[in-house]
Amino acid sequence: MQHFSSKLLTGVAFAIALSTAPAAMAETPKNQLVIGTSLAQVLSVDPQQGTEAKTQEILAATYDRLVYSDDADGNTVKPQLAERWEVDEKGVTFHLRDAKFASGNPVTANDVVFSLTRLLKLNQSASQYLKSAGYTADNIETLAKAVDEKTFRIELTDRVIAEDLIYRLAMGVSSVVDSVEVQKHVANNDYGNEWLRTNTAGSGPFVLRRWVPNETVILEANKAYWGKAPTMTRVIMRHVPESQTARLMLERGDIDIANALSAPDVKSFMTNTKFKIEQIKIGGFFVLAMNAGKEPLSKPEVREAIAYGIDYKGIADTILGPYGRQRNVPVPEDWKGAIANPDYSLQPEKAKEMLAKAGYPDGFSLTLKTIAQAPRVDIATALQANLAQIGIKVEIKQGNGADIVASHRARDFDLLLPQATAIMPNALGAMNDFVTNPDNRLEAKNAGNFVWRSGWDIPELNDLRNKANSERDEAKRAEMIKQLQEMFIAQKPAVLPMFESFTPIVLNAGVQGYATNLWSLNRLENVTKTDAK
């Protein structure tokens, strides 16, 4: 498996060799990879719509982007559909390789223009990553052009530098779709969204053959793939939300990989040589979202009291384990430019004093919404107990991915447990979700914006983020990034990072080449399987 380079992320991934095998194991077919996971958040496989982590793994297998970020090589950007590119002061020019979509249609610069235009005109949450760089539905057709059939050009805006734009073009939302095929399925000016929600039209090494929500995803090798043919002829993702069930399936050999296990179940493989454990730092966070559009959470003093009402160490030690560690600044602590953590810890008396000063000496009641999967449910239960100590009564409401994501986007919650992911493998990319909110008005309907969902109005932070995003002087940019982190903490965030999140994966030791990625864009064409020893 590939790991993050120590150049940028020291100690980012590790493998643990394991020592006792189960008495007997079945085997999945040698030419099929079977993954036990949670598909609860896979709501659409339209690459310009779906942003959830498991959706990204499907997109990574079925689509290509112009470039990709190589985690194994210091997050260096490398060619994918673009063989090479040139950067100048005004923009970036990409030269495309000869490639075909699964339909047999050639990949052209017009497909790239269509895909980015479609992303912004659909105006789903996925578009936020380009919108935050200054690209809009109104200007994209002016700034993105097909110079000829194999040459694509995109101009820089005054809100992004070339390096950061190229990283955005490596994201799943920038996947290149088959414009000819998609346009056959347009209905009611939906840009083919209804069809692409359940079908793929990419040039990646696999195609989607079947998707049954909350049950299974079946990918088959793309016979028209321009690169090396995948070793696996089929990849099956099975919805196994119960951790103990997934653990037993892995031990029996019913699945090759389990990536949604609880911390205790991950640890249960630590002495078994037929398996290996990988812990991947993804530059993301487990977050406590507080709805600042509602009282009493609209008051900064209340939000700070909650921050001091959480037993971060206890939760990290007893619940998260391989899933994360305390971090209340939205930049991983070992990334360049990260500031020290504030003194947040469980301090009930201090928290009670803050609530009294805010006008709530007797506390109040809130609801906490969470997706019903590990480790979020356990985190929610711990938060419920913690906050009870400072006088805040919390009712937990569990739901499936569709329900909780919809509540988050509609601002229909008091407290909610989402996850945030870095949009670039640097400090500014990690902070993007936490310091971006150009228009907090309800009528702006900017549900793709992480901060907007919490109704947290942060014009000063947003302005400084814009300046940092476009600053080409490295020293000035570094100072702005430091200031952004300090201002974020000082404003008592309504989107409180609690824990830097890791992704622990348990694999059959015979699985090789399962490459992890910052954005869960795990390519599968190089996966092989041998007998575990």
Side-chain angles (χ1 to χ4, degrees), residues 149-306:
E149 189 174 84
K150 291 295 181 182
T151 309
F152 167 72
R153 167 85 179 174
I154 184 166
E155 307 295 338
L156 297 173
T157 72
D158 60 1
R159 289 171 54 186
V160 70
I161 63 173
E163 176 189 3
D164 290 356
L165 171 60
I166 293 172
Y167 271 126
R168 283 169 164 83
L169 294 177
M171 298 182 73
V173 301
S174 299
S175 296
V176 178
V177 304
D178 184 342
S179 62
V180 175
E181 185 66 24
V182 171
Q183 288 181 97
K184 294 177 182 177
H185 301 278
V186 172
N188 300 316
N189 297 316
D190 72 343
Y191 300 97
N193 174 247
E194 182 177 355
W195 182 76
L196 268 186
R197 286 174 64 89
T198 55
N199 294 274
T200 54
S203 56
F206 292 88
V207 295
L208 176 66
R209 285 302 179 213
R210 189 181 183 203
W211 169 33
V212 180
N214 291 326
E215 183 178 312
T216 187
V217 169
I218 298 177
L219 308 176
E220 291 186 355
N222 174 13
K223 295 179 181 179
Y225 181 51
W226 53 268
K228 178 184 175 183
T231 303
M232 299 292 110
T233 59
R234 176 176 287 187
V235 175
I236 301 172
M237 299 179 183
R238 297 180 61 177
H239 181 54
V240 192
E242 293 295 332
S243 179
Q244 290 187 352
T245 301
R247 174 176 60 80
L248 292 171
M249 292 175 70
L250 191 60
E251 290 173 342
R252 290 197 307 260
D254 297 332
I255 58 178
D256 301 303
I257 298 172
N259 61 19
L261 296 176
S262 67
D265 283 327
V266 171
K267 292 177 182 177
S268 72
F269 288 93
M270 291 181 65
T271 57
N272 193 323
T273 55
K274 287 193 175 292
F275 300 92
K276 54 188 177 182
I277 301 173
E278 303 263 351
Q279 184 191 45
I280 313 304
K281 287 188 181 179
I282 60 173
F285 296 87
F286 289 106
V287 179
L288 179 61
M290 307 179 226
N291 194 335
K294 295 183 177 182
E295 287 199 17
L297 297 169
S298 58
K299 295 189 175 184
E301 302 87 351
V302 170
R303 300 196 298 267
E304 186 175 25
I306 289 174

